[in-house]
Amino acid sequence: GVGSTPVTKIVATGHTEASGSITFTATADGSVVNQSTINIQMPTVQISGVATPLPITFPALPPANPALILGGTRAGTAVVSISATSNNALGTLVLSVAPGTMVAGDTIVVFGLRISPASTPGLVPPVKAQISATQDIALSVGQTDPIIVQDISDALKDVNVKGSPASVTFKATDKKGTSGDGLITVQENFAAAFQSASQVGTGATTSTNVRLTLSEIPPGLEVTFKGTVPAGTAGLGPLVGLTRTDSKGAAAGTDITFDSSDASPTVYYSINGSVDAGVIDVMKIPFTATTSIAPPLTGGRVTVAASFAPIGTAFDTDGITVLTTPLPRYAAKDVDGGQIITVGSNNTALLFTHVLNILDFNSGFAIANTTTDPDGAFGTPATRQAGAITFNFYPAASGNAISYRTKAGSPGSGLDGSGQVPSGRTYLVLLSELLKEAGAPADFQGYVIAITEFSNAHAISFVLDAGKIVQAQAALVMQDSRDPVESLKN
């Protein structure tokens, strides 16, 4: 008879996932007269029209120590051995059964095989091994496809900034050295996805890890992650903590700081201690963000994504050699998380509701950089800053939106040599001049949104008729958030 004790659930991106045990039981007394075999074949998946077997990634077959995966009353090289025709990459395990007497109730047990569902996307659970035999071994009818894995699932369900503290927010005018604490939460998708090395089991060299990847960090900002997260604060129970395992930029287990010079900043954490396999855990990873330059800061945001780790492949570079470390390992699959840091923009969005350049009519713009204040006039004065302006033109009838950013040599007056409006200056320019520089049609009627790269901008637009001002209107200063209901700050 053939039976199995399947694993309940494995990670879809795993390369070294545990599979269940398979037990072969003699149903009656008998003899094996000729050398015989029992073949255990992992299922295949069609990938681009090619039948691809689910590979066995641990241990290397045949193992130097057969007891690593072979047990039961008939185990032992004198009776049952693992054939050299076994093949990890093909997902094939061949047991060689020597001639001899079998007694009813004798067993051969195969256990401890690790498989790579990440190598066979589209593998549908339950996962069943296919069993066949040769010569003097007969398999019971209907028992040739034992289940070794009940279900397959993604490792992570949610990555976010929850609880207190959560995300960190800065103003563009915050002073150098301003800091804030945040907390990233990473929720497993099913109970026991997070595991310590001891819970991973045979062959493990580490616990399951989590890799955090940050988006580009705005200039003037530093983000620091702790080398360790003490037990009781990591969200995994009172006895379980976290340790930063990577050594990029700083020794493992020590704090690490990232800034705008780091491309795709990544940090890895491993689990210290056995996790409660009966509950869905939420890992908590704290961080600190600090401003490192004098204001103004460049507006922007930092987001986070998380993947199970260590990241690796099913086999070595040759596609067949079994890797013993790290174990476990996974194919990268990031779960996008929330926005963990926001730096308020020092931009100003100015709305000009109607401008035109038609016939004898031509609109003009006067945009003032009012970040220079009279001495003592304000309790909190503006921070002096210069910046370029991007004009976004939206035609009233048809056609695509047009954009133009000021630069060295831009038309008008009030810009410095690099195309920026210095603090305390006003930029004067005609619509016709901007349209020409943008390579746009000369005729225009519609609205314009101008984005200044400095705060505290105020402006008017005016209409010229044959060179004389016949109309003027103040620009509306738009809020950063326009949803769900826009309000204007004028």
Side-chain angles (χ1 to χ4, degrees):
V2 182
S4 66
T5 303
V7 170
T8 302
K9 190 174 290 190
I10 61 174
V11 175
T13 57
H15 283 305
T16 56
E17 297 297 286
S19 65
S21 61
I22 302 173
T23 301
F24 301 89
T25 304
T27 56
D29 295 347
S31 297
V32 176
V33 177
N34 302 294
Q35 189 80 20
S36 303
T37 62
I38 299 174
N39 304 300
I40 301 174
Q41 175 62 55
M42 295 298 158
T44 59
V45 173
Q46 291 291 323
I47 301 178
S48 300
V50 177
T52 304
L54 173 67
I56 299 170
T57 53
F58 182 87
L61 301 176
N65 177 15
L68 197 63
I69 60 170
L70 196 59
T73 61
R74 303 297 290 178
T77 55
V79 181
V80 180
S81 60
I82 299 172
S83 171
T85 60
S86 300
N87 190 300
N88 287 89
L90 297 180
T92 304
L93 174 64
V94 181
L95 303 181
S96 181
V97 182
T101 301
M102 292 287 249
V103 178
D106 276 350
T107 58
I108 302 169
V109 182
V110 175
F111 58 91
L113 298 178
R114 294 188 177 275
I115 55 178
S116 174
S119 298
T120 50
L123 181 65
V124 177
V127 180
K128 298 179 180 180
Q130 304 300 315
I131 310 298
S132 60
T134 64
Q135 297 297 335
D136 297 339
I137 296 177
L139 300 175
S140 300
V141 176
Q143 296 184 11
T144 57
D145 58 349
I147 296 173
I148 56 174
V149 175
Q150 292 281 11
D151 199 8
I152 304 172
S153 177
D154 287 335
L156 300 177
K157 180 178 182 180
D158 181 67
V159 180
N160 218 313
V161 280
K162 294 180 179 178
S164 180
S167 60
V168 178
T169 300
F170 295 101
K171 301 188 294 294
T173 54
D174 278 340
K175 296 180 180 180
K176 180 180 180 180
T178 303
S179 66
D181 295 324
L183 188 70
I184 299 168
T185 59
V186 182
Q187 180 178 330
E188 62 183 350
N189 197 39
F190 60 92
F194 292 148
Q195 293 182 331
S196 65
S198 62
Q199 290 172 311
V200 172
T202 303
T205 61
T206 181
S207 70
T208 51
N209 286 211
V210 165
R211 181 189 71 178
L212 299 181
T213 303
L214 306 186
S215 62
E216 183 178 358
I217 298 172
L221 201 63
E222 295 179 342
V223 184
T224 300
F225 288 90
K226 295 291 186 182
T228 59
V229 181
T233 66
L236 303 173
L239 302 178
V240 184
L242 301 174
T243 299
R244 191 180 66 80
T245 56
D246 60 291
S247 57
K248 178 185 176 182
T254 62
D255 297 356
I256 188 169
T257 298
F258 300 104
D259 58 25
S260 60
S261 67
D262 294 295
S264 298
T266 57
V267 60
Y268 294 76
Y269 280 97
S270 66
I271 296 169
N272 300 328
S274 294
V275 180
D276 187 343
V279 299
I280 293 178
D281 290 299
V282 180
M283 184 182 294
K284 297 179 180 179
I285 302 173
F287 66 93
T288 299
T290 306
T291 60
S292 59
I293 61 173
L297 299 175
T298 301
R301 63 176 189 165
V302 179
T303 59
V304 66
S307 172
F308 248 35
I311 307 299
T313 56
F315 298 104
D316 206 346
T317 54
D318 60 6
I320 56 175
T321 300
V322 170
L323 298 171
T324 58
T325 185
L327 198 161
R329 59 187 178 275
Y330 303 87
K333 183 180 181 180
D334 282 325
V335 176
D336 291 334
Q339 185 170 308
I340 64 171
I341 302 171
T342 302
V343 180
S345 173
N346 62 333
N347 297 342
T348 308
L350 301 170
L351 171 62
F352 302 92
T353 56
H354 185 248
V355 298
L356 72 167
N357 184 43
I358 297 176
L359 301 175
D360 291 334
F361 297 103
N362 189 9
S363 291
F365 304 93
I367 301 176
N369 179 346
T370 71
T371 57
T372 296
D373 292 328
D375 291 341
F378 300 99
T380 305
T383 299
R384 295 191 181 196
Q385 55 204 273
I389 302 173
T390 300
F391 292 85
N392 300 278
F393 306 96
Y394 299 89
S398 62
N400 297 323
I402 307 157
S403 293
Y404 176 75
R405 183 177 183 272
T406 59
K407 58 186 179 180
S410 287
S413 62
L415 299 178
D416 64 15
S418 66
Q420 296 186 335
V421 184
S423 179
R425 298 278 291 275
T426 299
Y427 179 44
L428 292 168
V429 68
L430 296 176
L431 173 61
S432 59
E433 294 176 310
L434 293 173
L435 292 172
K436 181 180 179 180
E437 285 295 310
D443 287 349
F444 180 87
Q445 187 170 200
Y447 72 92
V448 171
I449 295 177
I451 308 296
T452 71
E453 296 173 15
F454 49 87
S455 62
N456 301 83
H458 296 279
I460 64 167
S461 64
F462 51 87
V463 178
L464 299 175
D465 181 0
K468 295 182 180 180
I469 296 177
V470 295
Q471 182 183 1
Q473 62 176 348
L476 300 175
V477 180
M478 306 172 75
Q479 293 277 31
D480 291 338
S481 176
R482 305 188 70 191
D483 184 52
V485 179
E486 179 183 45
S487 61
L488 301 172
K489 49 181 182 181
N490 299 283

